[in-house]
Amino acid sequence: MTKFRKLSMEDLDRISIEKFRKLEKNPIIIVLDNIRSANNVGSFFRTADAFRIQKIYLCGITATPPNKEIQKTALGATESVEWEYFENTPELIEELKKQGVLTISVEQAEHSVMLDSLPHEFAEKTIAIVFGNEVHGVDENVMEKCSYCVEIPQWGTKHSLNVAVSGGIVLWELVAKTKRNTNCLSQAGK
């Protein structure tokens, strides 16, 4: 006798897109700075849906829906997650800061803070987290405008993660560490 049983779609009790759109979101904004791969963009949409992220900004050369490659990995999350195209990432960062949003870039850089050591200041504010190009990372002009730069601790030989994988790690850490998901889960009727 096995002690685990895979859950069916009915067991998961998924909410509709319409209900999802009405629910309170975690006050986290994703900013994609010149992401080359539409598959990575789609992965961010799917992760944003899973963690009930407030919004995604697609900047520069980042592909936008509708796009077959985005849909392949987003699995419909482009319909549930609010998004907007904004051409100039540094201008977007300035605009978000004017709105009181705490801006954080994810990059290996001098004076970066390890993800597991972020100050508690971020727990009280809406956060915009910037992920950069698969080859060049977050543009230095964007990094300079951000309040923090965080780095994911790594102990291997590559010191490199796929940007969508980095997104999943960082977003999980932010949601779990701040317990922001508590209110959102209670609204889902679970």
Side-chain angles (χ1 to χ4, degrees):
M1 178 186 246
T2 178
K3 60 180 180 179
F4 299 108
R5 179 183 64 85
K6 190 180 232 181
L7 297 176
S8 69
M9 291 300 222
E10 292 80 30
D11 292 332
L12 292 173
D13 194 27
R14 294 189 177 173
I15 59 175
S16 69
I17 289 173
E18 292 76 27
K19 183 172 182 179
F20 179 92
R21 287 182 182 153
K22 293 176 184 173
L23 293 173
E24 179 182 348
K25 307 297 185 289
N26 281 305
I28 299 171
I29 297 165
I30 297 171
V31 177
L32 300 181
D33 179 34
N34 292 307
I35 302 295
R36 296 180 318 159
S37 166
N39 288 317
N40 283 334
V41 175
S43 291
F44 270 101
F45 270 96
R46 198 160 150 197
T47 302
D49 178 279
F51 295 137
R52 210 178 293 166
I53 300 301
Q54 184 175 318
K55 187 172 186 172
I56 297 178
Y57 281 99
L58 308 168
C59 301
I61 65 166
T62 305
T64 61
N67 178 299
K68 189 170 110 179
E69 293 301 308
I70 291 174
Q71 286 306 112
K72 189 186 301 182
T73 49
L75 297 179
T78 57
E79 303 303 315
S80 57
V81 176
E82 183 181 344
W83 66 273
E84 183 178 339
Y85 177 76
F86 204 103
E87 185 174 351
N88 187 292
T89 311
E91 287 179 14
L92 172 63
I93 298 303
E94 288 294 334
E95 180 60 36
L96 291 170
K97 287 172 76 172
K98 286 178 188 172
Q99 297 171 22
V101 174
L102 183 64
T103 55
I104 303 172
S105 61
V106 179
E107 188 59 75
Q108 296 168 326
E110 284 183 20
H111 310 295
S112 65
V113 176
M114 289 299 161
L115 179 61
D116 55 350
S117 300
L118 264 178
H120 291 288
E121 166 192 1
F122 73 93
E124 307 296 322
K125 296 184 175 189
T126 298
I127 300 167
I129 190 89
V130 183
F131 297 92
N133 180 276
E134 294 89 339
V135 174
H136 305 291
V138 178
D139 186 274
E140 286 200 39
N141 293 328
V142 174
M143 286 175 46
E144 285 299 316
K145 295 191 178 299
C146 289
S147 303
Y148 289 99
C149 182
V150 299
E151 186 174 334
I152 300 169
Q154 298 176 52
W155 301 276
T157 61
K158 300 300 177 200
H159 290 280
S160 174
L161 292 167
N162 170 277
V163 68
V165 171
S166 294
I169 293 168
V170 170
L171 293 166
W172 166 251
E173 181 73 13
L174 292 176
V175 170
K177 186 180 272 187
T178 61
K179 308 277 189 281
R180 290 168 183 251
N181 55 354
T182 306
N183 290 338
C184 289
L185 286 177
S186 65
Q187 290 182 7
K190 300 222 177 239

